[in-house]
């Protein structure tokens, strides 16, 4: 298939039993499957349930590891453990035997596949001992836990008139099984979900809830396929779109449960690959998904050349800025005066000059005479700006002032103050503090571009970001710990894909520039209480943060998911964690308190829940993350 | 008062305002009050609500610190902050002003009283900003938070027929205010409760709920006092017993809210002191309350002389042992044979000899001939035992065998095997492993003393033990952390006084000796699920563990609270923490899973909740606390 080069899609064939393993791998391979998912236990070998420690007098309980090379075990086999074992049986001896047996299987499976895949199946919320025995192990590889996307009972109840109506309410979602399992297992990062699609398609919100989970594989049983006119297996539209959604989110692999003696096995596999490839859209931000980044502090740290370059490459941001400046110039300068009157534009935080460029372009397109003052504190950027002034802009009226905008005394007041000081959370790079300081250089009638910024939050769950923060938190490097051990009390920048957004975003803090209404000195402390609601039982481990900004009149930039500026690439959203994940019940109100605190040398956020549970106040006194002024 | 020497009871006089501080301290002192509780703000000084940073041009907002010496400020004054301030007002400017004002008060109060007391009042669950502003500070001294023991609304509703009937259900307990406050404040150990008694007496369970909290002072308003026939203020029986219960639990001090110009102020104070002293019972275990101790591992570590001595001092334990051996001898040896037949008694784990002594005493009182083998592995105890055999017991038939009981080959089999290997949680010092090893030296008809042990648990909350484990957990000593950072996954021995027991204890693991029913090898793994119920909204931070044991027939030893052997002092209860406190709602079922796990060289417990929340499995693989075999 020509499209095969675009994306790498691997399908594993699920076998109930495997007689001759090499042969099975070969036949699966002929059906375009890259591996087989097989039970670790071979039915040829009778197992005796021996007590620990294992006695050497007992014979082997399964086939030898010499059957395959270690590379084959790793790449060609997904080892299934725990078939037909009930570790949570109320019958004591069944539970004990099951535990011993699965430990033996787990140990041998790890011996075989090393850092490859183990596979097991979850089928109930009653799984404390199962979770403890298999879920709490830190695997060298990955344990896939098979969970169906709808409860098998739902299908069954759907047919029975007596229970059909409230089947939804009484049948527990298998997501709850998984949630119980992984809570006992303490969010073990080596345990992931193999999500089995079912003939029933769950409600959209229930599908979305899986987007925050560590889904690694999608299991496709043959019975969810339809047969098209040409007798080929195909999926319904609903199944297709689920498949594509999960692939886009997780880049997952697939496990096909079909009859291995079905001569048309390859048709299933090819159809899966085709469906994914056909709908695949290249993502220019691929590679950044769910990676936590520490927010920039450009006021405190000087940005480096690489960072400037990344931001200057944004395909749309400076076009919007140019549009805003154009509009402001046209509004401000009567047509008759455009050739004579000089408009003073002050670019505060000039960087390597993109806003100067936008201002000069706007001057040209509107035929308005301008003088541009560019204020920059970073001595490294000054070098670039000086070069631009001497070469690129030598015929233009640009004056460079090398200082901190808060301390600067300009020769004249500005008509238009242009800045790009906003972070992913709006005010988190201290644009209010900077612009409050700079606004004294603005004429009373002057314009600030941007003139408003608003931050937004919504509660979310994302297992990848959670595991990253956890890893930092539990880092054994004591030196790290001493410097800042409160990784759960910091806001991160992250392009969140592996996320379930529990409710729609709501506005948090708003800042207006110039701020002439406020008392003097301007108080940029903020305190706001925001309420959300959970549509389903789910888990929350923090908030996703966004912002939008009005540059001028109706010219805005936004990373709010509902109003995101098309093509805007300069900002990822924010992730603001909670120290401990919070279990939510359907209908629960979530009440969160957010503070923006300002002291003489730093600014910081604090946050705390008061419903449905009360949490400690995060980042008190900025102990986890101060933003230095 | 002559009884004053017994206990040190201090009463502070609560004043709404204080004009002349020195004079007020003097008058309070005349009424036998050791201090005054006064607002930090003096009404003589008008406060201007200034913005941060404080401007020096504003005048002082209260009296000077030079009024009193620093010792007087520390010992004679409890500084009240936040009077009439609403930090959680929905009106933005009121909330902002209140926050600024209380910060100013807090800072000045700390300046004055150093490591003494600050005092403030809590009056609602809506306290996120109040908790954040005052509750999250780590004080040099202690912040007392006044909380009434019943909701003032309850009294009011009690008089109104329309709401009287379900007043209980609809009126929120002030305990919930406190719970919300301290959750936001992350269980700040420098913040404690000043519990105000009210005319209404709450239900007993609600009183008990306070026993787990960090109550430091009891506030007594004058209006809860009655007047007796001689016109003296007295308390009702119910109030008296509350007062005594709280004093016994917390050794708290008292704050009297009475009219300072009441000429009979001293009568109130004397009555409080009298009531406490009159009911005070000396506690021989005083000093051990709520101190966490690491459980002994006598199988792994050799006990030292001090530890032996402490245990040998138990006033009742060896009497019960002697009784049990006597009874066993009488049952086993027919009256006719007593002078001739020799009963073989094997003391496994002889220590410095108390069980040998009990056996020899029993032999004497019953006139039964015995030969005592004493097995001991600790070379230091062997020295003592050898001395006893050569001197004290030189005419008695005692043979010392210096070895580990699990490896020993005795010259003959025993009639009676006597041991004292039980820990606070029964099997936690590995008596099952030891006695299983030793039982092969017991005749088929032989008797083991003890013959059975059972552990018990109940859910509990105790702020002192919680804070101690937290302190260990957060210890900045990285070396400690690397050795064992999982302090929340260890069981501790503790004499818990500051504890709310959420439900009655239930049996957990049972071991029987000799164990002839079981398979060979005997399986001492255990897994049990136990369920409890919360009678009230409350918090749980772990389990209290106990045990009882049958020595022989009806002769038992117990530290189970309902059957505690009178005078038994050898064992404190166990405290088994949960990593995070769990909020419970009235009626919630608590489901806990406990495992006893046995591997070749260690034994350990694991535990996990599955209701009302699912927790991670604690102490997986014994990572927090292995018990070495």
């Amino acid at each position: 298939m020509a499209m095969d080069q675009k994306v790498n899609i691997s399908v594993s064939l699920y076998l109930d039993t495997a007689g001759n393993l090499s042969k099975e791998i070969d036949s699966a391979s002929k059906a375009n499957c890259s591996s087989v998912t097989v039970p670790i236990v071979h039915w040829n070998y009778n197992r005796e349930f021996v007590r620990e420690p294992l006695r050497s007098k007992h014979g082997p309980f399964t086939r030898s590891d010499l059957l395959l090379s270690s590379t084959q075990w790793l790449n060609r086999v997904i080892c299934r453990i725990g078939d037909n074992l009930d570790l949570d049986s109320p019958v004591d001896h069944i539970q004990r035997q099951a535990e011993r047996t699965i430990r033996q299987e787990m140990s041998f499976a790890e011996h075989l596949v090393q850092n490859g895949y183990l596979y097991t199946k979850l089928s109930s919320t009653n799984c404390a001992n199962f979770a403890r025995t298999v879920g709490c192990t830190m695997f060298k590889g990955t344990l896939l836990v098979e969970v169906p996307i709808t409860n098998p009972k739902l299908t069954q109840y759907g047919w029975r008139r007596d229970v059909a109506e409230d089947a939804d309410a009484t049948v527990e979602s298998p997501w709850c099984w998984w949630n119980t399992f992984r809570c006992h297992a303490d969010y073990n990062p080596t345990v992931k979900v193999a999500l089995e699609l079912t003939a029933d398609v769950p409600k959209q919100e229930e599908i979305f809830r899986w987007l925050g989970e560590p889904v690694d594989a999608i299991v496709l049983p043959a019975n969810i396929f339809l047969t098209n006119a040409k007798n080929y297996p195909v999926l319904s539209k609903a199944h297709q779109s689920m498949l594509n959604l999960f692939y886009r989110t997780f880049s997952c692999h697939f496990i096909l449960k079909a009859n291995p003696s079905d001569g048309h096995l390859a048709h299933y596999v090819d159809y899966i690959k085709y469906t994914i490839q056909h709908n695949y859209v290249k993502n220019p931000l691929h590679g950044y998904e769910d990676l936590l980044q520490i927010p920039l502090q450009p006021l405190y740290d000087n940005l480096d050349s690489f960072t400037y370059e990344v931001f200057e490459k944004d395909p749309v941001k400076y076009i919007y800025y140019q549009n805003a400046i154009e509009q402001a110039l046209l509004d401000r300068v009567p047509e008759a005066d455009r050739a004579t009157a000089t408009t003073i534009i002050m670019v505060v935080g000039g960087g390597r000059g993109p806003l100067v460029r936008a201002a000069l372009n706007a001057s040209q397109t509107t035929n308005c005479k301008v003088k541009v003052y560019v204020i920059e504190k970073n001595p490294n950027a000054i070098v670039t700006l000086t070069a631009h002034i001497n070469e690129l802009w030598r015929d233009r009226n640009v004056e460079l002032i090398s200082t901190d905008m808060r301390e600067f005394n300009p020769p004249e007041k500005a008509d238009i103050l242009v800045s790009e000081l906003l972070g992913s959370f709006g005010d988190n790079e201290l644009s209010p503090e900077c612009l409050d300081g700079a606004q004294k250089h603005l004429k009373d009638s002057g314009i600030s571009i941007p003139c408003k910024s608003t931050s937004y939050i919504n509660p979310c769950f994302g297992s990848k970001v959670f595991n990253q923060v956890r890893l930092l938190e539990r880092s054994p490097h004591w030196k790290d710990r001493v410097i800042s051990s409160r990784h759960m009390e910091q806001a991160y920048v992250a392009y969140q894909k592996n996320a379930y957004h529990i409710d729609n975003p709501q506005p948090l803090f708003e800042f207006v520039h110039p701020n002439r209404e406020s008392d003097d000195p301007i108080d940029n402390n903020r305190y706001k209480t925001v309420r959300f609601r959970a549509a389903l039982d789910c888990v929350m481990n923090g908030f996703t943060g966004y912002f939008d900004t009005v540059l001028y009149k109706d010219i805005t930039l936004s990373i709010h998911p509902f109003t995101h500026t098309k093509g805007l690439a300069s900002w990822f959203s924010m992730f603001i964690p909670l120290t401990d994940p919070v279990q939510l019940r359907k209908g629960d109100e979530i009440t969160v308190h957010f503070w923006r605190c300002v002291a003489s040398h730093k600014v910081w956020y604090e946050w705390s829940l008061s419903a449905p549970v009360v949490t400690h106040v995060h980042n008190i006194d900025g102990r986890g993350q101060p933003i230095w002024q």
Side-chain angles (χ1 to χ4, degrees), chain A residues 329 332-345 363 366-371 397 412 415 443:
Chain A
L329 284 171
R332 203 166 164 79
V333 191
E335 206 160 342
D337 300 345
R338 285 188 192 149
T340 52
T342 298
T343 304
I344 307 298
I345 300 183
S363 156
T366 56
N367 288 318
C368 291
K369 253 179 92 178
V370 301
K371 157 139 202 189
N397 197 352
E412 54 190 326
D415 295 283
K443 292 180 184 164

Side-chain angles (χ1 to χ4, degrees), chain A residues 15-33:
Chain A
L15 301 172
D16 285 330
T17 58
N20 182 327
L21 201 52
S22 298
K23 240 175 80 185
E24 302 288 5
I25 291 173
D26 283 349
S27 358
S29 178
K30 276 175 199 142
N32 301 327
C33 289

Side-chain angles (χ1 to χ4, degrees), chain A residues 32-45:
Chain A
N32 301 327
C33 289
S34 50
S35 70
V36 292
T37 302
V38 293
I40 177 87
V41 181
H42 191 276
W43 43 267
N44 263 352
Y45 298 84

Side-chain angles (χ1 to χ4, degrees), chain A residues 59-79:
Chain A
F61 67 100
T62 188
R63 45 178 112 65
S64 155
D65 54 356
L66 296 177
L67 264 181
L68 301 178
S69 73
S70 61
T71 324
Q72 281 180 307
W73 279 117
L74 176 63
N75 296 319
R76 297 296 188 181
V77 181
I78 295 180
C79 269

Side-chain angles (χ1 to χ4, degrees), chain A residues 87-162:
Chain A
L87 275 87
D88 290 274
S89 164
V91 183
D92 194 52
H93 75 270
I94 295 182
Q95 170 257 307
R96 286 185 184 226
Q97 273 191 354
E99 189 177 324
R100 272 182 225 115
T101 308
I102 208 165
R103 283 192 189 281
Q104 199 183 42
E105 293 183 6
M106 201 160 53
S107 157
F108 195 64
E110 275 220 284
H111 169 71
L112 292 178
V113 301
Q114 303 290 330
N115 59 346
Y117 283 109
L118 270 60
Y119 191 102
T120 194
K121 184 179 171 172
L122 183 64
S123 50
S124 156
T125 310
N126 178 29
C127 62
N129 198 40
F130 181 50
R132 164 186 167 269
T133 309
V134 306
C136 293
T137 307
M138 291 302 279
F139 292 96
K140 281 175 287 185
T142 301
L143 173 70
L144 292 174
V145 178
E146 182 191 296
V147 187
I149 200 163
T150 61
N151 191 324
K153 271 191 195 158
L154 198 66
T155 318
Q156 186 190 325
Y157 282 17
W159 288 94
R160 278 175 52 190
R161 195 174 300 180
D162 59 325

Side-chain angles (χ1 to χ4, degrees), chain A residues 389-614:
Chain A
I389 287 171
N390 293 338
E391 293 159 31
L392 219 56
W393 304 328
R394 66 172 178 271
D395 302 328
R396 313 297 297 266
N397 197 352
V398 179
E399 187 173 326
L400 172 62
I401 296 163
S402 167
T403 182
D404 189 304
M405 70 186 80
R406 291 167 298 178
E407 289 153 12
F408 142 72
N409 277 313
E412 54 190 326
K413 287 202 171 188
D415 295 283
I416 304 173
L417 198 67
V418 188
S419 65
E420 51 167 338
L421 305 163
L422 296 169
S424 293
F425 206 41
D427 57 273
N428 66 302
E429 293 179 8
L430 311 194
S431 80
E433 284 68 23
C434 293
L435 292 179
D436 289 351
Q439 77 182 33
K440 60 178 178 287
H441 314 316
L442 189 63
K443 292 180 184 164
D444 284 349
S445 65
I447 294 165
S448 172
I449 294 177
C451 61
K452 192 169 112 174
S453 74
T454 310
S455 54
Y456 299 84
I457 49 165
N458 66 244
C460 69
F461 177 74
S463 63
K464 276 193 197 152
V465 289
F466 177 71
N467 278 333
Q468 285 174 75
V469 187
R470 264 266 183 115
L471 200 67
L472 290 170
E473 191 83 7
R474 295 188 174 173
S475 154
H477 307 299
W478 70 274
K479 220 173 129 196
D480 279 3
R481 296 201 66 95
V482 171
I483 292 167
S484 171
S485 66
R486 302 206 178 254
H487 299 280
M488 288 291 185
E489 304 196 15
Q490 305 186 17
Y492 298 88
V493 167
Y495 173 41
Q496 274 189 281
K497 280 211 102 175
N498 177 208
Y500 170 49
H501 296 290
I502 294 164
D503 200 353
N504 292 338
Q506 291 202 45
L508 194 63
F509 303 138
E510 188 181 288
F511 290 91
V512 167
H513 306 289
N515 182 352
R516 312 240 192 242
E517 320 288 87
S518 223
D519 305 345
D520 181 43
I522 295 169
D523 187 354
N524 289 325
N525 285 289
R526 293 286 187 280
Y527 169 37
K528 193 158 175 190
T529 304
V530 188
R531 291 185 174 78
F532 301 92
R533 200 166 285 281
L536 288 180
D537 289 5
C538 61
V539 187
M540 162 169 66
N541 75 320
F543 295 86
T544 307
Y546 320 90
F547 83 103
D548 66 15
T549 181
V550 177
L551 293 180
Y552 183 70
K553 290 191 170 167
D554 61 347
I555 301 167
T556 60
L557 292 174
S558 168
I559 63 163
H560 184 299
F562 299 172
T563 58
H564 203 294
T565 306
K566 204 174 167 189
L568 186 65
S570 288
W571 292 279
F572 291 149
S573 56
M574 209 84 179
F575 171 66
I576 303 157
L578 290 168
T579 304
D580 296 298
V582 174
Q583 296 286 331
L584 302 172
R585 307 289 299 180
K586 181 178 176 171
D588 269 354
E589 188 178 82
I590 302 153
T591 306
V592 64
H593 306 265
F594 258 91
W595 292 267
R596 185 184 197 268
C597 310
V598 183
S600 56
H601 289 294
K602 63 178 183 180
V603 174
W604 69 98
Y605 302 104
E606 296 181 9
W607 59 98
S608 190
L609 293 187
S610 64
V613 298
V614 181

Side-chain angles (χ1 to χ4, degrees), chain A residues 258-307:
Chain A
N259 184 351
S261 54
D262 182 334
H264 304 288
L265 219 50
H267 293 164
Y268 289 95
V269 179
D270 293 346
Y271 179 79
I272 295 168
K273 293 188 176 181
Y274 170 79
T275 305
I276 296 298
Q277 284 169 345
H278 187 71
N279 290 283
Y280 184 75
V281 179
K282 204 168 175 296
N283 181 353
L285 302 176
H286 180 66
Y288 287 101
E289 293 96 335
D290 300 299
L291 277 180
L292 289 185
Q293 300 174 287
I294 308 292
L296 294 171
Q297 295 207 10
L299 197 58
Y300 187 69
D301 300 317
N302 285 322
L303 298 186
D304 59 28
S305 163
F306 176 79
T307 310

